[in-house]
Amino acid sequence: MSETALKAPGVTAPSGDANRWKALVFIALAQLMVVLDATIVNIALPAAQQDLGISDGNKQWVITAYALAFGGLLLFGGRIADLWGRKRTFVLGLAGFAAASALGGAATTGAMMFGARALQGVFGALLAPAALSLLAVMFTDAKERAKAFGIYGAIAGGGGAVGLILGGFLTEYLDWRWTFFVNVPFAVVAAAGAYFVIREPAGARNRSPLDIPGVILSTLGLVTLVYGFTRAESDGWGDSVTVGMFVASVVLLLAFVLVEARVKAPLLPLRVVTDRNRGGIYLSLGLAIIGMFGLFLFLTYYLQIVKGYSPVKTGFAFLPMVAGMITGSTQIGTRLMTRVPARLLMGPGFLFAAFGMLLLTQLEIDSSYGALLLPAMVLLGLGMGTAFMPAMSLATQGVEPRDAGVASAMVNTSQQVGGAIGTALLNTIASSATTSYVKDHIAGAAAKPQQDLVKLQGMVHGYSTAIWVAVGILAVAALIAFTFVNAGRPGTTPAASGSGEGIEDEVPVPVVAH
């Protein structure tokens, strides 16, 4: 049994490693690279598909191969970080991600591209939890932690929109291959910097034997879950293979939970997720990401197809949301995180984002960017930035150092699964609403221009219908944050127990290692 006391506000933390702020630069750079990659490739996909001769039926695998490997291996990657050391795993993840990106940029066939994307996912699953867990173990003082996670949260939230801008520039003015090659300098700089400046705290590793049954069950369960949602988007929810994937994922993940409850050294100690604060954060973050994907997915299509924006102009149109996220994370979240309980940042943050989404339900073909889209994106960015920042910090606060990697992996897993669900669910709702609208209105359009107008109106109607669902999902995320997350100000924590029960406290509370 070991005890680590968490400090009350006002108590100065040990100075720790003097290089930790330099280390944050390279950790943030690596996180930016991973987040950028999630959207930058979407912009390049049409050009890459044409060059490599990828069929319409197979083009989804450029996205799916990455999502399956990344989502399926995140828990394993987090455990490897705890076992091998987070710095070593971080550098290895960067090196592998750079090599896989170079392979993708040099791809000459569709199969080579799919393989490169899967490899990117494998090394991304090592890199992402190692980056977040390094922050968790290096920044322990409440005020320093607030600043560090404010920067990290802003990048995690806004990096995707930056990817749209960079992807547009690279695809339009250079070549789609540069959307892959651009990762190489990012990774080289981050790996070199990390190697020289990161000093991981001693005694934070978990050297227990690897839980092989847990690795197999969690990987297969998450892969089948992500693939089920991906397939639902293209083949429908009633497709026999889709249904089979969902049934298999439920069985595999239930088996995983049973195994984790019985083995001596579990891959995912259940104490990590049964804590009501962490459980509430994982759930609310996953739901918020579903809502966010509504914005990215539909506004990208709306701006390019309905408004006729170029890829570069589309990317710039998302900048107000990025500015909102950075402001919400670094100015609102960071300044208030040490003063108010996390739920009073997360709950209102998600509600602000929901209000921004609510404005977007008013979308029409001729909607004004300045009058409707701009304020909606600013509100959504401010809300998400304010909510993400304390969520990222609290998800790893109070966790035993040996569990930091796997607790960080759960943050990434909730986001990855949320993204897969959001893309499939909202796209299906939008497509159904569009089809229904066009069927009801196309008969009254005799000429082709009128028919084209009805199709555009149907598309926008589908987007607004799906965005209504996203509003509801964000409202549920806010409700979960208000009710589940009961931790006090960072630097304080509720007394932890196996059931996750706790009371808000303003004095030092010991966290007892199991």
Side-chain angles (χ1 to χ4, degrees):
M1 304 283 283
S2 64
E3 288 192 353
T4 304
L6 293 177
K7 302 170 295 302
V11 179
T12 305
S15 60
D17 176 32
N19 285 327
R20 63 193 177 282
W21 289 107
K22 292 179 186 175
L24 175 61
V25 173
F26 300 111
I27 293 169
L29 185 64
Q31 175 65 12
L32 179 62
M33 181 186 72
V34 172
V35 176
L36 282 176
D37 195 73
T39 51
I40 199 171
V41 173
N42 289 328
I43 296 286
L45 183 54
Q49 180 187 355
Q50 187 176 356
D51 269 12
L52 300 178
I54 301 171
S55 69
D56 283 339
N58 286 333
K59 70 177 181 181
Q60 64 162 332
W61 284 102
V62 177
I63 307 299
T64 304
Y66 177 84
L68 292 180
F70 187 68
L73 292 169
L74 272 167
L75 282 177
F76 178 60
R79 179 66 181 85
I80 288 295
D82 289 335
L83 179 65
W84 287 356
R86 293 162 194 95
K87 175 180 174 177
R88 184 183 298 175
T89 307
F90 182 73
V91 173
L92 176 65
L94 281 167
F97 199 90
S101 298
L103 186 66
T108 54
T109 65
M112 188 174 172
M113 170 62 75
F114 304 150
R117 289 290 285 161
L119 275 176
Q120 277 188 310
V122 169
F123 286 105
L126 287 176
L127 177 59
L132 185 55
S133 58
L134 275 170
L135 287 190
V137 298
M138 291 175 74
F139 291 91
T140 53
D141 174 69
K143 288 186 178 179
E144 287 195 350
R145 188 180 179 90
K147 290 178 185 175
F149 276 88
I151 294 166
Y152 186 89
I155 289 170
V162 176
L164 293 172
I165 300 171
L166 189 56
F169 263 110
L170 294 173
T171 303
E172 205 166 314
Y173 298 115
L174 290 174
D175 187 83
W176 66 264
R177 296 181 184 277
W178 280 99
T179 61
F180 287 90
F181 291 144
V182 74
N183 287 332
V184 177
F186 270 103
V188 168
V189 171
Y195 181 80
F196 288 109
V197 306
I198 289 179
R199 298 288 180 271
E200 191 176 347
R205 288 195 198 177
N206 183 347
R207 299 182 186 274
S208 304
L210 197 58
D211 169 21
I212 301 299
V215 169
I216 294 170
L217 288 169
S218 69
T219 301
L220 290 176
L222 288 170
V223 164
T224 53
L225 182 63
V226 172
Y227 183 60
F229 280 108
T230 303
R231 190 176 175 88
E233 184 186 359
S234 57
D235 294 72
W237 296 89
D239 175 70
S240 58
V241 177
T242 301
V243 174
M245 287 291 124
F246 285 135
V247 171
S249 69
V250 170
V251 171
L252 287 164
L253 292 174
L254 280 175
F256 171 66
V257 172
L258 292 174
V259 166
E260 298 309 274
R262 292 168 183 252
V263 297
K264 270 188 178 179
L267 173 71
L268 175 63
L270 295 183
R271 61 181 174 268
V272 171
V273 290
T274 53
D275 175 83
R276 67 180 292 168
N277 288 287
R278 277 191 291 276
I281 283 167
Y282 297 147
L283 189 55
S284 61
L285 268 182
L287 288 169
I289 292 294
I290 292 175
M292 278 289 289
F293 265 69
L295 181 91
F296 277 127
L297 186 66
F298 301 132
L299 279 192
T300 301
Y301 279 103
Y302 175 80
L303 291 170
Q304 291 196 40
I305 295 173
V306 179
K307 289 294 193 183
Y309 284 22
S310 69
V312 172
K313 191 175 179 181
T314 300
F316 274 107
F318 277 97
L319 273 182
M321 189 183 70
V322 178
M325 281 187 174
I326 292 171
T327 303
S329 185
T330 62
Q331 299 305 310
I332 301 173
T334 299
R335 290 174 187 274
L336 295 180
M337 192 172 128
T338 54
R339 300 178 186 179
V340 299
R343 67 170 180 269
L344 297 185
L345 290 173
M346 290 178 63
F350 289 139
L351 287 178
F352 241 75
F355 184 66
M357 279 282 190
L358 189 62
L359 293 180
L360 291 174
T361 61
Q362 308 305 307
L363 268 184
E364 301 285 350
I365 285 180
D366 57 354
S367 291
S368 162
Y369 176 83
L372 180 66
L373 274 72
L374 178 63
M377 285 197 277
V378 169
L379 284 170
L380 196 127
L382 279 171
M384 286 296 194
T386 301
F388 275 12
M389 189 265 156
M392 293 281 189
S393 176
L394 201 61
T396 53
Q397 181 176 306
V399 75
E400 299 173 33
R402 62 185 175 139
D403 295 334
V406 78
S408 302
M410 277 301 299
V411 176
N412 291 287
T413 301
S414 67
Q415 291 179 14
Q416 187 66 23
V417 172
I421 295 171
T423 303
L425 176 65
L426 296 173
N427 206 33
T428 303
I429 291 167
S431 297
S432 299
T434 296
T435 303
S436 177
Y437 183 95
V438 171
K439 185 179 177 183
D440 291 343
H441 293 80
I442 198 73
K448 190 176 185 303
Q450 290 175 309
Q451 291 175 353
D452 290 341
L453 180 62
V454 168
K455 288 176 183 176
L456 280 180
Q457 288 171 336
M459 188 184 295
V460 175
H461 172 72
Y463 296 161
S464 61
T465 301
I467 289 170
W468 269 112
V469 176
V471 171
I473 291 170
L474 283 171
V476 173
L479 181 64
I480 289 170
F482 276 125
T483 54
F484 278 74
V485 180
N486 70 342
R489 301 194 300 265
T492 70
T493 187
S497 72
S499 64
E501 295 297 327
I503 54 171
E504 197 171 296
D505 209 325
E506 295 295 336
V507 296
V509 177
V511 177
V512 182
H514 295 275

